[in-house]
Amino acid sequence: MSDLSIVNRDHHPGTGALLLRGRNEPPPLVITDAKGRRSKIWDIAPTLHCSIIGTCLSAAELRQFFIKLGDAEARTASDHTLHSSGVRAAGQHDLVGKLLNKALDNRHEAAIRRFAKASNATQVRALWLEAFEQGGIPGAYWAVLTHPATDRPLVEEVFGQVHMLSHMVGSSNRIDITRLRTLERELGERDDKISRQEARLSESARERSELLRKVEGLEMQVRRREIAARTAAELTTGTLTESTLLRRLDAEKAHSSKLASRLAELEDEARKAQKFAASLNRQKDQLQREVTALEAALRMDEADRPGLDAERDLDGLTMLYVGGRPGLIDQLKALAARRGGTLLSHDGGIEENLAALPGLVSRADAVFFPVDCISHSAVGQIKKYCRDGHKPFVPLRTASAASFISAISHRDVPRNNRLPRG
């Protein structure tokens, strides 16, 4: 296809554009500026607006955009309704359209600066492929579509990749739902196993204590009978003396001390058993919470279908997730966005500089970190920055989606009494 299908704007846009396109050329996908300035969102074909709004702005960001505009229904509207409003606004060259374009520019300023170094379509494509491989798709997509050097083949290529990616994400979500249901079943089985182990432990502890009491009672009876028989024999023969009684008293004191030591050991073992049982109970409660959170997440996935609204209980909360598994972060961000929040992330110092942590903590309302997938130094810095900034931090049992879902579902983060940002 001819690159002229991306039309240049000049002082006579109407006639000039038609002459350049020719009669057999398709409508332009992007109208570019003759002076090489970046295109605006209303210069992009309406067929691309849906992908722009859905890819370049999260549901939470789009909701905040309309709330700031004074839309009375924005707080309670479904994600689909807000998406439709965003697509309509994208095609309007009015105040709302200009503000939407500005919001996209501000959101993806870093990507725009990176793509500004490109001077032709080949260089723009190379930057796009690099960003695509690294997962920086939202900013790169907006930068490509508005870049003055972008031609129609490149627009069609990047749109196709984004379009297919949406299908893959949908398929991945279905796989995730299956995995969540499997995990829910496994958690239920583990819960039953823990309950059985706890019951066996309690029964074994009770039987052991009972046996020990019986053994000690029998030992005391035998000892008393032996002492009584020996004392009777000594009285009969006249061999019971004061020194003998003193030796027996010393022996009884030693035996009493031994019994007291044994009692202390048993009490210590009992405390350890109670502590272990309490730990099992806490683990059981935590696993049950995760099961409940996963069930709620599955219901939210069902609510994402057309005609149903998902619960948006995070209410614009900004959270920071430090550490964890890189492959899971995008899913956690999508989950937070569906529930009306924003999730920032930092890998805990593996590739990203720990010097960035203070700034991220200052932007967040709460900080999460999985205790099984983060360095001790990163945990220490998180706690320090959170305490300095009066921000809550939430340790997670594992780096699983279940632990994160459970934490945000059971009000482990502030909402109504949100702390001021640093």
Side-chain angles (χ1 to χ4, degrees), residues 85 144 162:
S85 299
V144 169
V162 169

Side-chain angles (χ1 to χ4, degrees), residues 259-271:
L259 289 177
S261 177
R262 179 58 180 159
L263 178 61
E265 290 178 2
L266 291 174
E267 289 176 344
D268 184 58
E269 290 178 4
R271 282 194 296 271

Side-chain angles (χ1 to χ4, degrees), residues 72-230:
E73 300 178 355
R75 292 187 182 276
T76 57
S78 68
D79 289 348
H80 180 265
T81 299
L82 289 172
H83 176 79
S84 300
S85 299
V87 172
R88 285 194 299 272
Q92 304 300 318
H93 191 175
D94 57 8
L95 178 60
V96 177
K98 291 178 180 178
L99 291 175
L100 180 61
N101 190 86
K102 183 178 179 181
L104 285 162
D105 282 347
N106 291 338
R107 175 66 179 82
H108 303 296
E109 181 180 0
I112 291 170
R113 286 200 305 268
R114 187 166 63 253
F115 275 74
K117 301 174 184 178
S119 58
N120 55 55
T122 301
Q123 294 175 353
V124 174
R125 183 176 184 274
L127 289 172
W128 161 255
L129 293 176
E130 179 184 354
F132 189 85
E133 289 298 324
Q134 295 176 354
I137 295 172
Y141 190 49
W142 176 245
V144 169
L145 293 182
T146 57
H147 197 285
T150 298
D151 56 16
R152 186 182 186 98
L154 181 55
V155 172
E156 292 175 342
E157 179 182 355
V158 299
F159 171 75
Q161 289 176 306
V162 169
H163 179 71
M164 291 310 299
L165 184 63
S166 68
H167 288 306
M168 288 188 287
V169 170
S171 175
S172 174
N173 284 341
R174 289 192 293 274
I175 294 172
D176 288 341
I177 291 173
T178 302
R179 287 168 56 196
L180 285 173
R181 287 173 176 158
T182 301
L183 180 58
E184 179 182 358
R185 184 176 62 256
E186 292 174 352
L187 286 174
E189 293 171 356
R190 187 184 301 177
D191 190 16
D192 292 339
K193 183 178 179 181
I194 290 174
S195 297
R196 291 194 299 271
Q197 289 176 340
E198 182 181 353
R200 285 197 297 268
L201 177 64
S202 299
E203 181 63 20
S204 297
R206 187 191 64 78
E207 291 176 355
R208 185 173 184 273
S209 298
E210 185 65 27
L211 286 173
L212 287 173
R213 282 194 296 271
K214 288 181 179 179
V215 169
E216 290 173 353
L218 291 172
E219 287 178 345
M220 288 297 295
Q221 290 179 18
V222 171
R223 186 173 180 80
R224 286 169 184 167
R225 288 175 182 177
E226 289 177 348
I227 293 173
R230 189 167 60 249

Side-chain angles (χ1 to χ4, degrees), residues 220-401:
M220 288 297 295
Q221 290 179 18
V222 171
R223 186 173 180 80
R224 286 169 184 167
R225 288 175 182 177
E226 289 177 348
I227 293 173
R230 189 167 60 249
T231 302
E234 290 173 342
L235 286 172
T236 302
T237 59
T239 57
L240 183 63
T241 64
E242 181 180 353
S243 61
T244 302
L245 290 174
L246 289 173
R247 285 196 302 272
R248 290 181 183 175
L249 178 61
D250 290 339
E252 288 301 322
K253 287 181 178 179
H255 183 64
S256 176
S257 177
K258 183 178 178 181
L259 289 177
S261 177
R262 179 58 180 159
L263 178 61
E265 290 178 2
L266 291 174
E267 289 176 344
D268 184 58
E269 290 178 4
R271 282 194 296 271
K272 289 179 179 178
Q274 291 174 351
K275 186 177 180 180
F276 181 65
S279 175
L280 287 178
N281 277 326
R282 287 194 299 271
Q283 185 178 8
K284 173 186 173 183
D285 293 341
Q286 196 164 19
L287 290 173
Q288 185 58 51
R289 287 177 57 179
E290 292 183 5
V291 169
T292 303
L294 288 174
E295 289 175 346
L298 290 174
R299 287 195 295 272
M300 289 185 66
D301 285 330
E302 294 293 327
D304 281 340
R305 296 179 179 178
L308 294 173
D309 289 342
E311 182 185 3
R312 307 191 59 82
D313 55 348
L314 294 181
D315 191 26
L317 192 77
T318 298
M319 299 165 288
L320 172 62
Y321 191 97
V322 184
R325 301 186 180 93
L328 194 61
I329 298 300
D330 288 341
Q331 296 181 42
L332 298 184
K333 288 183 177 180
L335 171 69
R338 286 201 304 272
R339 297 178 67 157
T342 300
L343 184 65
L344 311 174
S345 66
H346 190 285
D347 67 6
I350 298 175
E351 294 183 2
E352 297 176 287
N353 196 328
L354 283 175
L357 266 181
L360 290 172
V361 171
S362 69
R363 294 169 55 192
D365 297 306
V367 181
F368 297 79
F369 58 89
V371 296
D372 66 337
C373 198
I374 189 173
S375 68
H376 291 294
S377 60
V379 171
Q381 292 196 39
I382 290 169
K383 292 180 178 180
K384 177 182 182 300
Y385 298 143
C386 286
R387 286 165 180 157
D388 291 346
H390 304 290
K391 301 293 182 71
F393 56 87
V394 183
L396 302 178
R397 183 178 65 88
T398 66
S400 65

Side-chain angles (χ1 to χ4, degrees), residues 3-25:
D3 293 346
L4 295 179
S5 57
I6 295 189
V7 179
N8 286 330
R9 276 188 308 222
D10 53 24
H11 296 293
H12 306 284
T15 305
L18 291 174
L19 289 174
L20 285 171
R21 277 214 327 257
R23 294 182 178 179
N24 297 323
E25 289 290 336

